[in-house]
């Protein structure tokens, strides 16, 4: 089942079960993913494009959370709602590998240059890691700093 099919199925289920917030978020995700596919090829979106859409919407929610800061009760309520949206969207994103798993992979490349390590991550863990974090951990291990 493609990611688009999963989004559509989950959207229909949320509507049937009266989960308005979930249905709203999935409707936005579904429409955005369809638009990306149509704009690029006049076709349905690929799984990668669905992931791209979910990441973009999730990042927008996270940026808004950072901006709000939670200094009042109304801001805390907005932050809570945005966090639940991010949680819904996370179902359609690849699971991230842990810090420990990243470091274990990095240690396999003792003495290798950063480029070859990053290439390994890109080929084997696409969309499952944060490149900035991996680069930082590589440099910290090289400098024998505590991680």
């Amino acid at each position: 089942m493609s990611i688009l099919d999963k989004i559509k199925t989950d959207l229909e289920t949320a509507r049937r079960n009266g989960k308005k917030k979930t249905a709203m978020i999935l409707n936005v995700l579904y429409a955005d993913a369809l638009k990306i596919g149509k704009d690029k090829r006049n076709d349905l979106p690929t799984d990668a494009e669905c992931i791209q859409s979910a990441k973009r919407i999730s990042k927008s929610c996270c940026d808004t959370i950072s901006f709000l800061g939670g200094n009042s009760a109304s801001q805390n309520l907005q932050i809570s709602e945005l966090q639940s949206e991010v949680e819904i969207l996370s179902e359609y994103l690849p699971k991230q590998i842990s810090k420990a798993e990243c470091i274990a992979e990095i240690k396999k490349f003792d003495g290798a240059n950063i480029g070859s390590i990053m290439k390994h991550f890109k080929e084997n863990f696409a969309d499952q890691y944060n490149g900035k974090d991996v680069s930082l951990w590589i440099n910290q291990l090289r400098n024998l700093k505590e991680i």
Side-chain angles (χ1 to χ4, degrees):
M1 173 184 280
S2 72
I3 294 176
L4 185 68
D5 291 337
K6 180 174 174 18
I7 294 168
K8 186 175 182 180
T9 302
D10 291 351
L11 171 60
E12 291 167 354
T13 302
R15 284 181 177 154
R16 268 194 308 272
N17 294 336
K19 295 182 178 181
K20 291 181 181 181
K21 181 163 191 75
T22 301
M24 179 192 70
I25 295 300
L26 293 179
N27 194 45
V28 169
L29 177 59
Y30 186 73
D32 190 64
L34 285 175
K35 183 178 182 324
I36 290 172
K38 184 175 182 184
D39 289 349
K40 287 190 176 180
R41 294 174 313 286
N42 201 23
D43 198 5
L44 293 176
T46 63
D47 282 352
E49 290 165 341
C50 290
I51 290 169
Q52 173 191 0
S53 180
K55 277 184 177 180
R56 186 176 55 252
I57 296 168
S58 181
K59 182 181 182 320
S60 177
C61 290
C62 291
D63 290 347
T64 303
I65 290 169
S66 297
F67 176 76
L68 287 173
N71 295 327
S72 68
S74 65
Q75 286 179 338
N76 287 334
L77 180 61
Q78 288 176 313
I79 288 171
S80 175
E81 289 177 10
L82 288 166
Q83 288 171 333
S84 70
E85 290 177 16
V86 170
E87 188 176 318
I88 292 166
L89 292 166
S90 70
E91 292 293 317
Y92 308 96
L93 296 172
K95 301 300 178 214
Q96 299 293 297
I97 60 174
S98 69
K99 180 179 178 179
E101 291 171 315
C102 284
I103 291 172
E105 285 295 318
I106 293 167
K107 287 181 177 179
K108 292 178 184 177
F109 289 86
D110 189 35
N113 66 26
I114 291 177
S116 63
I117 298 171
M118 295 305 287
K119 181 180 177 185
H120 170 76
F121 273 89
K122 185 175 183 179
E123 291 172 352
N124 296 289
F125 302 102
D127 295 321
Q128 297 178 339
Y129 67 97
N130 181 326
K132 289 180 183 179
D133 289 342
V134 171
S135 179
L136 174 70
W137 297 329
I138 292 168
N139 288 322
Q140 287 177 335
L141 284 172
R142 285 191 172 168
N143 295 329
L144 298 174
K145 293 182 180 176
E146 186 64 33
I147 298 180

